[in-house]
Amino acid sequence: MSRFNLIDEKWIPVRFLNGNRDEELGISETLLRAKEIAAIEDSSPLVVTALHRFLLAVLYRALEGPTDIDQAKSLFKEGLPSEKITAYLEKWRDRFWLFDEKYPFGQIPTFEPKTWRAWTALAAEHNADTAKVLFDHVDTTASGSIKPAAAVRWLLATQTFAVSAGKSEISHTGTAPSAGSVMAIPVGLNLHDTLLFCLVPQNREVMQADIPLWEKEPETMVYLKSATKLLDKKSGKEKDRAVERGATGLVDLFTWRTRSILFKELPSGETSELGFASGIGYKASADQDTMLGYAIVEVTDGETKEKVKKKVSIHFEEKEFWRDFDSLLPDAARLAPRVIEHAIALTKMDRTRLPRGVMILGQKYFPPRPNIVFWRKEYFALPGAILGNRDIRHDIRVMLIEAEDAGKSLWNGDNGIKACLASSIGSFAKTLLSHDTTGTRDVQLSDIKRVAQSVNAVPWYWSTLESRFHEILGKYTLERDPDDILCQWLKFVRDALKKAWDQHCASVSTGDIWAIRALVKAEKPVKRKLEKLNVEILKLEPQKEVV
């Protein structure tokens, strides 16, 4: 018997424009009432991302488009056609049952797992039987059960963000196509606009062949177990990998079966265990994820050993993402997320509907280890000046470079010992550590870094500038003079650098004579940078007329 249909059942968490968060909706209500909804909200950034991508896949299929910018502009002007959406969902209603003998949504009905695993295997934020998560207290041997609504949310999140975790009972587990990348979602006045911003046109021929997971027949176990031979670069030997293919388009990409899953339903309708194994491996194709930003980097070719340029997606780093914010902004190189380019193209015809901002979502891990370091959701205002003709990406980049240069005068531990000692904190640590009874102690870079990690001035500098950066984004409108904005930013950088160093000096001033001597010797890099900033600010400030 079929149970829990995603079209009608309540499982998508939303926040309405009136602030109400008490209701969850099915697919149909979410799309048909999108103008009443402010946003999709969930405690997990991974779930939020996966739900947007899933709804976009439904829209692409229901609307059979957009296939060009004119069709996209028409949708933006007239709104989502409820008749097409309703007709599509009714046509494929039988494919949206979460529990069904023939077509359980997102699952492999013929999968007969040797071992049933706890539901926590689905969720990166919870302990699994193969990995533990800091601060999560779920006991995988007695994890209880979850409701169908939670099960389907985590199913979509897993297919979007699962990373390779070694051998499974079917084959080697692969990584979801964009699992380690930063994903951008421009946020509109309501969910309706947000979805249309992300509904980037696809070629008509591509669209026709771009089929979502639920419209296809579930893969057979024979197919899933058919291994692909791959040459191991380290050993030079062939090894078996999961069957893989390229994506046919955005719909296929947004509904990729990264894992083979089968829920075991309890009499209560909930689920506590599931079959969980490898799915379809992803072979990188020309179809680029429209939510990703890209960069051109120089890498060494594995075969020729020559340096070549390669286009790679932007990933979260250890530093805060705002320091790479320019990667989200369009320019002639077309490296920004296409969803942001599309949002700008749509709102040039109606500036009152410019995205309120952009959500940045994703996770960080260090391949080949499957351990997730962190998952993240951040929000940035989108500069109003982005609708003008200026190269906003360049302007923002100039500001960020100034912040980085000033930060390096304070501390630079990533570019070798010479660069480290050219920073004030590095010089201070070196002088302090070099002092002993003989004055000949050999100080290593690792020693200096340990001291630097205990200095609060560095994180204070960056956290202070982060809040200032958000302030600048809000002020960057078409009406403001870019030079005024840059001047204000340089003042923020100067003040943050000065106060950070002053704080460090105050914390050391009560120390012994050697610490004070080290402090005096180390102040030159910061002082030089402050002088340069003052010169740049003076150039940009309006000159007072002499009476």
Side-chain angles (χ1 to χ4, degrees):
M1 182 177 176
S2 302
R3 289 168 299 282
F4 200 87
N5 195 285
L6 276 59
I7 295 173
D8 307 313
E9 296 284 356
K10 298 182 182 301
W11 64 281
I12 300 175
V14 299
R15 173 172 54 85
F16 288 92
L17 292 173
N18 62 10
N20 180 25
R21 290 183 173 87
D22 298 332
E23 192 173 358
E24 293 180 352
L25 304 177
I27 302 171
S28 179
E29 271 199 287
T30 301
L31 294 177
L32 298 183
R33 299 177 63 186
K35 288 185 177 180
E36 304 171 38
I37 299 169
I40 293 172
E41 287 194 348
D42 190 89
S43 58
S44 166
L46 310 187
V47 168
V48 171
T49 311
L51 290 178
H52 279 88
R53 291 162 78 88
F54 167 73
L55 291 174
L56 288 170
V58 172
L59 285 176
Y60 273 121
R61 295 301 291 169
L63 307 181
E64 299 178 317
T67 56
D68 56 46
I69 188 60
D70 290 334
Q71 190 179 2
K73 288 180 178 179
S74 178
L75 284 170
F76 193 64
K77 182 179 179 180
E78 298 172 9
L80 294 171
S82 57
E83 299 83 4
K84 282 190 174 183
I85 294 171
T86 301
Y88 175 79
L89 293 175
E90 284 304 314
K91 177 181 178 181
W92 293 99
R93 173 171 289 276
D94 288 346
R95 299 297 182 91
F96 286 99
W97 294 105
L98 184 60
F99 300 108
D100 186 74
E101 291 184 3
K102 190 174 182 181
Y103 296 112
F105 178 81
Q107 300 163 71
I108 302 293
T110 56
F111 184 20
E112 297 179 355
K114 298 175 184 176
T115 303
W116 290 93
R117 298 178 61 179
W119 66 266
T120 54
L122 281 174
E125 286 101 325
H126 290 296
N127 291 327
D129 44 18
T130 56
K132 302 301 177 186
V133 178
L134 190 64
F135 301 126
D136 182 65
H137 303 291
V138 173
D139 182 354
T140 56
T141 62
S143 56
S145 60
I146 54 174
K147 295 182 182 297
V152 68
R153 290 195 293 266
W154 280 116
L155 174 126
L156 292 173
T158 295
Q159 303 294 22
T160 306
F161 288 101
V163 299
S164 180
K167 181 75 174 175
S168 74
E169 62 179 88
I170 293 179
S171 186
H172 192 283
T173 55
T175 297
S178 303
S181 302
V182 174
M183 299 192 191
I185 299 177
V187 180
L189 299 174
N190 49 41
L191 180 61
H192 176 272
D193 282 7
T194 298
L195 292 173
L196 287 177
F197 290 151
C198 297
L199 212 61
V200 178
Q202 281 201 104
N203 177 280
R204 190 179 302 276
E205 292 182 3
V206 171
M207 188 78 72
Q208 290 174 351
D210 194 14
I211 310 299
L213 172 146
W214 57 84
E215 289 187 29
K216 303 172 186 175
E217 289 293 317
E219 291 85 356
T220 65
M221 292 303 295
V222 172
Y223 175 73
L224 290 169
K225 289 181 177 180
S226 57
T228 298
K229 296 293 184 182
L230 188 72
L231 186 66
D232 190 315
K233 294 180 180 180
K234 290 185 177 180
S235 66
K237 298 179 181 179
E238 284 191 338
K239 60 181 180 181
D240 290 340
R241 304 289 288 186
V243 60
E244 61 180 27
R245 62 176 179 82
T248 57
L250 291 175
V251 173
D252 189 22
L253 190 70
F254 289 173
T255 62
W256 196 263
R257 193 190 300 278
T258 310
R259 293 289 182 268
S260 297
I261 294 170
L262 183 65
F263 289 123
K264 180 191 283 188
E265 186 185 12
L266 297 173
S268 64
E270 298 185 353
T271 186
S272 61
E273 295 180 313
L274 68 155
F276 191 78
S278 60
I280 308 298
Y282 177 67
K283 185 185 295 183
S285 59
D287 297 302
Q288 295 176 338
D289 195 322
T290 51
M291 290 184 176
L292 310 188
Y294 294 87
I296 304 298
V297 299
E298 194 174 75
V299 297
T300 303
D301 185 272
E303 296 180 1
T304 65
K305 305 302 180 185
E306 294 181 355
K307 294 287 185 180
V308 295
K309 290 185 177 180
K310 184 180 180 182
K311 191 176 185 178
V312 298
S313 62
I314 302 294
H315 289 64
F316 279 117
E317 303 295 340
E318 292 299 314
K319 65 181 182 180
E320 302 87 345
F321 183 77
W322 71 267
R323 293 162 65 180
D324 289 318
F325 179 79
D326 60 303
S327 65
L328 301 178
L329 303 175
D331 67 352
R334 303 294 301 274
L335 296 174
R338 286 165 60 196
V339 291
I340 294 180
E341 292 182 347
H342 186 54
I344 295 168
L346 291 179
T347 51
K348 281 189 175 180
M349 58 188 283
D350 185 356
R351 293 184 176 183
T352 63
R353 293 169 71 182
L354 177 72
R356 295 184 295 110
V358 55
M359 277 194 299
I360 301 303
L361 311 104
Q363 64 185 8
K364 174 70 177 176
Y365 76 107
F366 296 103
R369 292 177 292 173
N371 307 85
I372 306 301
V373 181
F374 60 76
W375 46 89
R376 183 171 292 171
K377 173 186 172 184
E378 297 185 42
Y379 181 86
F380 295 90
L382 207 56
I386 203 168
L387 291 176
N389 296 320
R390 284 190 61 83
D391 187 350
I392 301 299
R393 183 176 178 131
H394 173 266
D395 291 352
I396 296 293
R397 188 62 198 152
V398 168
M399 290 193 290
L400 294 176
I401 288 173
E402 288 289 353
E404 293 292 337
D405 287 347
K408 287 177 181 177
S409 74
L410 185 64
W411 165 244
N412 184 4
D414 297 326
N415 299 304
I417 187 67
K418 186 176 181 180
C420 175
L421 297 180
S423 68
S424 289
I425 299 296
S427 174
F428 169 78
K430 169 68 164 57
T431 304
L432 193 65
L433 292 171
S434 297
H435 169 66
D436 60 14
T437 54
T438 63
T440 58
R441 181 179 173 186
D442 184 23
V443 180
Q444 302 297 318
L445 179 59
S446 57
D447 300 323
I448 298 174
K449 286 185 175 182
R450 278 194 291 272
V451 173
Q453 287 174 353
S454 67
V455 176
N456 291 328
V458 178
W460 188 91
Y461 170 80
W462 289 115
S463 62
T464 299
L465 278 187
E466 181 175 10
S467 63
R468 292 301 196 181
F469 183 71
H470 283 282
E471 186 179 331
I472 285 289
L473 290 180
K475 294 179 178 179
Y476 215 131
T477 62
L478 284 169
E479 295 74 28
R480 287 293 299 271
D481 184 339
D483 285 345
D484 288 345
I485 295 290
L486 177 58
C487 184
Q488 183 62 64
W489 175 250
L490 292 180
K491 289 179 180 179
F492 286 155
V493 173
R494 177 193 63 189
D495 293 348
L497 179 61
K498 184 178 185 305
K499 289 179 181 178
W501 182 247
D502 287 347
Q503 282 187 11
H504 177 60
C505 292
S507 68
V508 174
S509 61
T510 56
D512 61 30
I513 188 63
W514 296 107
I516 295 173
R517 286 181 177 178
L519 196 63
V520 173
K521 185 177 180 180
E523 67 183 1
K524 290 182 181 179
V526 165
K527 283 199 169 185
R528 280 196 299 266
K529 185 59 183 177
L530 288 173
E531 289 171 1
K532 288 181 180 179
L533 286 168
N534 282 327
V535 170
E536 292 301 316
I537 291 168
L538 190 60
K539 290 178 183 177
L540 293 169
E541 280 187 326
Q543 298 298 310
K544 294 181 180 179
E545 294 184 6
V546 179
V547 179

